[in-house]
Amino acid sequence: MAEAEFVQGMTPFLRESLGVYGDGVLTGEAAVGASGTAAEVGRGLLRATYRRVDERGREGLSEAVQEASAEPGNEDALGVLRQEIRRALRNHPELERELAALLPNGGTTTVIASGDRSIAAGGNIGVAITGDGHGSSKR
């Protein structure tokens, strides 16, 4: 699995975990009622990465978590966090298998389209338009 796509697939879980736990996601206790939620999956991903890296990696991951949790809507800050995870994956190839096991469906995405004019996309495909007469000009 391509490293960038793999880490990009973690984004919803990372975002949710930062929303629930804030910068305590690496060290805090589990949130009450959070078992099995996206926030818990994200927390597991971050904690597994944190355990695997050296002191320098922990500092970088901690800083990225603090920045991303301080600015929840900042995609750049979330990107820095993903970059720290990618760095950990490059330095510890066995980490990918560990993280994939924490993701629903083992880190793979299943996309199903159902019904007339449905579109299935496993990633950002840009603009997708369905419907009768699109692109025709009626005068």
Side-chain angles (χ1 to χ4, degrees):
M1 182 178 299
E3 177 185 291
E5 290 176 18
F6 179 65
V7 176
Q8 185 67 32
M10 295 179 190
T11 301
F13 304 102
L14 299 174
R15 187 178 287 120
E16 189 69 22
S17 66
L18 293 170
V20 170
Y21 292 100
D23 62 1
V25 69
L26 295 173
T27 57
E29 295 296 317
V32 175
S35 179
T37 65
E40 265 315 284
V41 172
R43 178 175 175 258
L45 295 168
L46 288 168
R47 290 175 72 135
T49 303
Y50 189 81
R51 283 191 305 269
R52 187 67 74 160
V53 297
D54 60 13
E55 187 61 34
R56 183 174 176 211
R58 287 186 183 119
E59 288 173 12
L61 193 62
S62 293
E63 281 182 29
V65 163
Q66 288 173 2
E67 288 180 25
S69 63
E71 299 181 62
N74 185 337
E75 288 301 313
D76 292 335
L78 194 57
V80 171
L81 179 57
R82 285 192 304 261
Q83 190 62 30
E84 287 295 328
I85 295 170
R86 289 181 68 188
R87 184 174 293 117
L89 286 167
R90 281 192 301 274
N91 293 333
H92 305 279
E94 69 283 358
L95 179 60
E96 183 173 348
R97 188 172 45 251
E98 185 177 345
L99 297 180
L102 296 172
L103 290 167
N105 299 324
T108 61
T109 302
T110 302
V111 181
I112 299 171
S114 176
D116 290 342
R117 298 178 186 89
S118 296
I119 296 175
N124 184 356
I125 61 168
V127 176
I129 301 172
T130 65
D132 292 335
H134 176 71
S136 65
S137 60
K138 296 183 180 180
R139 293 179 191 210

